[in-house]
Amino acid sequence: MGRAPCCAKVGLHKGPWTTKEDALLTKYVQAHGEGQWKSLPKKAGLLRCGKSCRLRWMNYLRPDIKRGNITQEEDDLIIRLHSLLGNKWSLIAGRLPGRTDNEIKNYWNTHLLKKLQRNEQTSEHDNEDQQRKTKKNNNVGGNKKKKNNNNKQKKNDKKKGKSKINDDEEEDKIQVYLPKAIRIKALTLPRTDSGSFTFESNSSSESQQKQGNEQVTNNNVVCEVGEIGENDRFGFCSDDHDLVNDIECESFFDTGNNRGTLERLYDEYFQLLNVDGICNFEFDSFAESIFN
DNA sequence: AAAATGCTCAACCGCTAACCA
DNA sequence: CTGGTTAGCGGTTGAGCATTT
């Protein structure tokens, strides 16, 4: 496959955008619309590659971008959608109006992952206690989730135990149990609005095993006891709650009377991802709901 | 006050699916 | 059908700022 020449090869600007560049790009897109990114820089008088222009517009300049902190509701939805979709940032962002995939990705990596790691430690510790109460040789080493090897994870690990007060407070409020984000292996979507797309559920043995350990009832995920600490769930719990030994995830998928829009959106995804025995199918309405 | 360390997030990189001639 | 082009995605980087030592 061909590759567009990178910025360096053609002597184009890189790095942070100036206000002048922003203005030029904004002006051009407002006049001519999005698209044609390859030829846009030249037409707009920018010394940037099309890729860079597209990214700048999509992630920063677009008028419908929502600025400011992620709300608690958004935070919750991100966690839920990630549990279903994995690192499908664009899909997740598509359900959060005004938020970009880049923003969601950054938020996940900087905020939510920290919670996850913190909870993993708690979960592992409590799991060990649980195991002691049960059979000695019940489990083998596979219980412990592998540590993420990337540098930022290591940095974050170092900071554990002395994190910001705000983070601690936030974590105290959140109790989340997540399946590992591996449910989807391949998701093929057209890049045009052709109206339909195929969806492939994860058919790997790993996934099947995982799904075998979950029961889906009324949109609640119920994790079986034996799976505690086995990558299928992690709670964001305060230390003074004995939630690690809880089995059901109902607090997370609570279906109260006043369910908000985001709750319903989540349910849509959840139901679609749990259609019995369907590996390839079309659901145009779902596509429309996402992309329109 | 200065240096070291950590955090955030905009931007870049590399890859691939979709499109088209 | 083939191969080039383009758009879009997810992972990673690094500058700048904040916090800690």
Side-chain angles (χ1 to χ4, degrees):
Chain A
M1 287 196 193
R3 174 184 292 282
C6 71
C7 305
K9 286 180 183 174
V10 290
L12 299 176
H13 286 176
K14 289 174 72 176
W17 280 64
T18 64
T19 51
K20 190 179 177 181
E21 287 176 317
D22 282 347
L24 281 171
L25 178 57
T26 304
K27 188 180 177 183
Y28 183 88
V29 174
Q30 284 174 346
H32 301 93
E34 295 178 21
Q36 305 296 314
W37 297 109
K38 181 75 178 179
S39 57
L40 184 149
K42 197 175 180 180
K43 293 176 182 173
L46 286 161
L47 284 171
R48 294 270 181 177
C49 67
K51 210 172 179 178
S52 183
C53 291
R54 180 192 151 271
L55 210 63
R56 182 64 176 172
W57 175 258
M58 292 297 188
N59 290 337
Y60 196 84
L61 297 175
R62 235 172 27 178
D64 56 331
I65 294 289
K66 189 194 284 183
R67 300 252 152 237
N69 296 334
I70 302 282
T71 65
Q72 186 59 52
E73 195 178 26
E74 289 172 320
D75 179 294
D76 196 38
L77 183 62
I78 292 167
I79 293 168
R80 296 180 186 204
L81 289 176
H82 187 273
S83 74
L84 295 176
L85 302 169
N87 295 359
K88 298 292 177 184
W89 307 118
S90 61
L91 273 182
I92 295 172
R95 282 305 196 188
L96 290 159
R99 301 294 185 187
T100 68
D101 54 353
N102 209 30
E103 190 177 12
I104 302 294
K105 183 171 61 182
N106 283 333
Y107 186 71
W108 177 267
N109 287 332
T110 56
H111 294 84
L112 301 180
L113 218 50
K114 271 194 291 184
K115 294 176 189 174
L116 169 71
Q117 289 172 337
R118 182 188 167 99
N119 186 261
E120 272 181 28
Q121 282 194 336
T122 306
S123 185
E124 285 174 10
H125 182 266
D126 285 14
N127 190 34
E128 286 171 8
D129 291 343
Q130 171 106 358
Q131 287 177 18
R132 280 190 215 109
K133 293 174 185 174
T134 55
K135 296 177 183 178
K136 270 189 178 179
N137 297 322
N138 199 20
N139 295 311
V140 252
N143 260 4
K144 291 192 177 181
K145 199 169 185 175
K146 286 180 183 176
K147 292 283 182 184
N148 191 329
N149 286 328
N150 87 31
N151 292 333
K152 289 195 174 181
Q153 301 304 320
K154 289 176 183 173
K155 285 182 181 177
N156 288 340
D157 286 347
K158 287 181 185 176
K159 204 179 182 182
K160 277 175 190 170
K162 53 175 181 177
S163 59
K164 292 176 189 174
I165 294 171
N166 286 345
D167 283 351
D168 290 338
E169 288 174 350
E170 194 178 357
E171 285 169 20
D172 286 347
K173 294 175 187 173
I174 302 171
Q175 300 169 4
V176 177
Y177 300 87
L178 299 174
K180 188 182 176 185
I182 56 168
R183 190 182 291 273
I184 296 174
K185 200 160 201 177
L187 181 62
T188 306
L189 302 173
R191 292 187 180 167
T192 64
D193 52 354
S194 57
S196 67
F197 64 95
T198 59
F199 175 85
E200 297 173 20
S201 68
N202 188 351
S203 59
S204 70
S205 58
E206 184 184 16
S207 173
Q208 286 170 346
Q209 182 181 359
K210 172 183 148 46
Q211 290 182 352
N213 291 324
E214 288 178 358
Q215 301 166 19
V216 180
T217 55
N218 296 330
N219 299 330
N220 292 342
V221 170
V222 180
C223 309
E224 292 183 358
V225 180
E227 295 308 305
I228 292 174
E230 294 190 19
N231 300 348
D232 285 323
R233 60 185 291 272
F234 18 79
F236 303 144
C237 314
S238 61
D239 293 334
D240 54 345
H241 287 82
D242 188 21
L243 290 168
V244 179
N245 291 326
D246 286 351
I247 299 167
E248 297 192 1
C249 309
E250 289 179 359
S251 63
F252 176 45
F253 297 102
D254 186 24
T255 54
N257 292 329
N258 300 320
R259 298 170 59 188
T261 304
L262 297 179
E263 187 84 12
R264 289 195 298 275
L265 293 176
Y266 167 75
D267 285 347
E268 282 179 41
Y269 272 100
F270 195 91
Q271 288 171 11
L272 287 163
L273 290 166
N274 284 283
V275 177
D276 287 340
I278 295 179
C279 294
N280 289 290
F281 61 100
E282 294 184 351
F283 36 91
D284 297 357
S285 59
F286 180 43
E288 286 173 10
S289 75
I290 294 172
F291 298 108
N292 293 334

